[in-house]
């Protein structure tokens, strides 16, 4: 189970600044602009209730404070409840929260109590990283490679199919691959194909999932995956731009999708 660590969340502001600058350079829009176009929404006076959850592995250091930073960064009023769990839920709702943010070890949700919209971090993350990859201004075609068809990758692949891209995907989990072929009509990708891509969405919890034969000389790798799937030497050898960040971009997508 791929859980964040407090260390992943250190220097979040700097990580956001660097990834947002890359996103702006390669797509023409920053995260705010992409989210506004993607969801047709803009943050307003919504109040965000952030509730620490103690189940499973328990509270993760820096997680709630990172969510507060993210809410404020996008111009929303955020509050971390004094208490966790059900007591915290009661506190947030009683204090007038419009949107609840809370996560256990399996699901991380944003729930808008006013319009009843709800979204999981997995889907919102897959969609936004897919959207970023698909907006690569130097893409050589509409062919795009998705590495990993789990909770995040499948959502990203579905979004790209809906947008009309030629989606190729790989996953050692045969069941996940067959499901994506059957339900989304994606093209199974294997390295023997020797087909190279200028846009890659990587959504796996493994390093070194991207090999030289997969990418064109100029390529955008958009990945929420932790650790990074792009070997540094390949990133240096080719003109590869990398968009990778542990939490903010996915949470921005969650918030814009429910406001
Ligand atoms: P998951 O476990 O549901 O799916 C991962 C998939 O990758 C599995 O189907 C697995 O078979 C596949 N995979 C593993 N190695 C592969 C390889 N070499 N080539 C192709 N496929 C491979 O995981 P989930 O929930 O989809 O998350 C994916 C990653 O994204 C995790 O590292 C997670 O921590 C991270 N994540 C990051 C977020 C962010 O905002 N940066 C938000 C949510 C998740
Ligand atoms: O501090 C808390 O309230 C904890 N219960 C939070 C647990 C989050 C667990 N989920 C994850 O670490 C990953 C993240 C990449 C986002 C989605 N799942
Ligand atoms: Mg992120």
């Amino acid at each position: 189970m791929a859980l964040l660590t407090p260390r992943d969340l250190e220097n979040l502001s700097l990580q956001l600044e660097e990834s947002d600058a890359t996103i702006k350079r390669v797509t023409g829009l920053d995260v705010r602009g992409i989210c506004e176009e993607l969801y047709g929404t803009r943050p307003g006076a919504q109040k965000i209730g952030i509730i620490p959850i103690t189940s499973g592995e328990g509270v993760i250091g820096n997680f709630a404070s990172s969510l507060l930073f993210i809410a404020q960064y996008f111009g929303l009023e955020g509050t971390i409840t004094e208490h966790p769990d059900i007591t915290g839920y009661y506190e947030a709702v009683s204090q007038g929260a419009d949107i609840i943010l809370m996560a256990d070890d399996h699901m991380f949700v944003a729930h808008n109590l006013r319009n009843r919209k709800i979204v999981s971090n997995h889907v919102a993350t897959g969609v936004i990283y897919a959207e970023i990859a698909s907006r690569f201004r130097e893409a050589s075609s509409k062919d795009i490679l998705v590495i990993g068809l789990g909770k995040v990758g499948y959502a990203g692949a579905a979004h790209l199919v809906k947008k009309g891209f030629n989606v190729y995907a790989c996953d050692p989990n045969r069941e996940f691959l067959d499901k994506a072929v059957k339900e989304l009509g994606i093209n199974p990708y294997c390295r023997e194909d020797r087909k190279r891509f200028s846009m890659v969405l990587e959504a796996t919890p493994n390093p070194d999932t991207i090999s030289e034969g997969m990418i064109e000389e100029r390529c955008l790798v958009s990945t929420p995956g932790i650790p990074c799937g792009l070997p540094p030497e390949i990133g240096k050898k080719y003109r590869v731009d990398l968009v990778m960040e542990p939490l903010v971009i996915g949470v921005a997508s969650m918030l814009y999708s429910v406001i």
Side-chain angles (χ1 to χ4, degrees), residues 1-5 8 51-55 57-64 67 85 102-108 121-122 125 224 226 246-247 251:
M1 196 186 324
L3 297 186
L4 281 168
T5 67
D8 291 329
I51 307 167
I53 303 296
T54 61
S55 65
E57 295 298 310
V59 168
I60 294 178
N62 296 340
F63 185 72
L67 297 185
D85 307 324
M102 56 184 172
D104 63 16
D105 293 350
H106 309 284
M107 283 295 282
F108 172 13
N121 175 268
H122 293 124
T125 297
I226 302 174
L247 186 64
V251 173

